Amino acid sequence: MIIGGNIGKNKITPNEEAWKDYEICFNALHAYVDYFVVNVSSPNTPGLRELQEKESLRKILVHLQQLNAGKAVQRPILLKIAPDLTNEQLDDVAALALEIKLDGLVATNTTIGREGLSEESGVVSRETGGLSGKPLQKRSTEVLKYLITRTNGEIPVIASGGIFTGIDAKEKLKAGSPLVQVWTGFIYEGPAIVKKITRSLLS
């Protein structure tokens, strides 16, 4: 079984000291996980998404790479980004990932957008937290394709967002992603969703 460690900063930690939280999490989990996902894109932690700016990202990621290089066994380090970034911000992410030779990207986290929600969704459309599942599917695929293009396919971009069926997974794979992550679908359908999706892909 492959186990990943999704690491982030504490809510009360100032952004200028966020790198310290990532270091603590990285060192604590390093012996127990197979890879790391650096989460700077959850909308539920105030101010966290500000860390997606290029220089803030550089400070965190390069520091983790240096820590990783000092370990007897190195773990792949990936970056998970928000679907709400502009193309200019995505360009910065892609350029930095190529420059520092990041092991991979994950596209995407949840969205703060509420486009496409029906009026019947009521309070959901007025909430400010991250929205996942089907409303995220289209935008996450757009970001996935954009990042694959901007990185020239040199860095793996793992797909995440709105994957419930084999058809959904196939869309992401056809876009160029080598792997997919299932989150909301797993909550609604349980572990059997993995078998259902893989059987659909193989049929």
Side-chain angles (χ1 to χ4, degrees), residues 7 16 21 64 69-70 89 97 99 101 112 117 125 132 144 176 185 191:
I7 60 176
E16 58 269 21
D21 284 3
L64 292 178
Q89 290 172 313
E99 176 190 337
K101 295 180 172 57
I112 57 174
L117 291 183
S125 63
S132 64
L144 172 70

Side-chain angles (χ1 to χ4, degrees), residues 17-38:
E17 297 182 7
W19 63 273
K20 297 179 182 179
D21 284 3
Y22 288 95
E23 176 180 326
I24 291 170
C25 293
F26 184 83
N27 284 328
L29 294 176
H30 192 275
Y32 306 104
V33 302
D34 299 291
Y35 70 95
F36 284 93
V37 175
V38 178

Side-chain angles (χ1 to χ4, degrees), residues 150-167:
R150 300 304 292 176
T151 57
N152 301 312
E154 295 179 28
I155 296 175
V157 184
I158 296 174
S160 177
I163 301 170
F164 287 78
T165 67
I167 293 174

Side-chain angles (χ1 to χ4, degrees), residues 103-122:
D103 294 306
L105 298 166
V106 181
T108 63
N109 211 320
T110 56
T111 179
I112 57 174
R114 296 297 185 266
E115 295 80 7
L117 291 183
S118 66
E119 293 182 4
E120 288 75 17
S121 62

Side-chain angles (χ1 to χ4, degrees), residues 5 33 40 52 56 60 69 80 84 89-90 96 101 112 123 168 170 183 190 196:
V33 302
V40 292
Q52 291 178 114
S56 297
I60 293 169
K80 190 168 192 176
D84 309 305
Q89 290 172 313
L90 292 173
L96 178 62
K101 295 180 172 57
I112 57 174
V123 69
D168 298 335
K170 190 173 294 185
W183 291 95
K196 184 178 74 173

Side-chain angles (χ1 to χ4, degrees), residues 7-141:
I7 60 176
K9 82 173 188 71
N10 285 320
K11 181 178 181 179
I12 61 174
T13 302
N15 277 357
E16 58 269 21
E17 297 182 7
W19 63 273
K20 297 179 182 179
D21 284 3
Y22 288 95
E23 176 180 326
I24 291 170
C25 293
F26 184 83
N27 284 328
L29 294 176
H30 192 275
Y32 306 104
V33 302
D34 299 291
Y35 70 95
F36 284 93
V37 175
V38 178
N39 188 344
V40 292
S41 52
S42 170
N44 302 320
T45 302
L48 183 67
R49 288 190 166 194
E50 296 171 10
L51 296 176
Q52 291 178 114
E53 296 302 321
K54 191 173 184 179
E55 293 312 310
S56 297
L57 278 178
R58 184 193 304 277
K59 183 174 183 178
I60 293 169
L61 294 172
V62 170
H63 181 61
L64 292 178
Q65 287 179 321
Q66 291 170 343
L67 291 173
N68 202 30
K71 303 287 188 182
V73 177
Q74 284 76 52
R75 309 296 188 197
I77 299 174
L78 295 84
L79 172 68
K80 190 168 192 176
I81 62 161
D84 309 305
L85 297 181
T86 65
N87 284 350
E88 290 75 16
Q89 290 172 313
L90 292 173
D91 288 343
D92 283 344
V93 168
L96 178 62
L98 289 170
E99 176 190 337
I100 67 174
K101 295 180 172 57
L102 196 65
D103 294 306
L105 298 166
V106 181
T108 63
N109 211 320
T110 56
T111 179
I112 57 174
R114 296 297 185 266
E115 295 80 7
L117 291 183
S118 66
E119 293 182 4
E120 288 75 17
S121 62
V123 69
V124 175
S125 63
R126 300 191 296 274
E127 290 178 347
T128 58
L131 181 67
S132 64
K134 281 297 182 182
L136 177 63
Q137 184 177 19
K138 180 180 177 182
R139 176 57 184 165
S140 67
T141 302

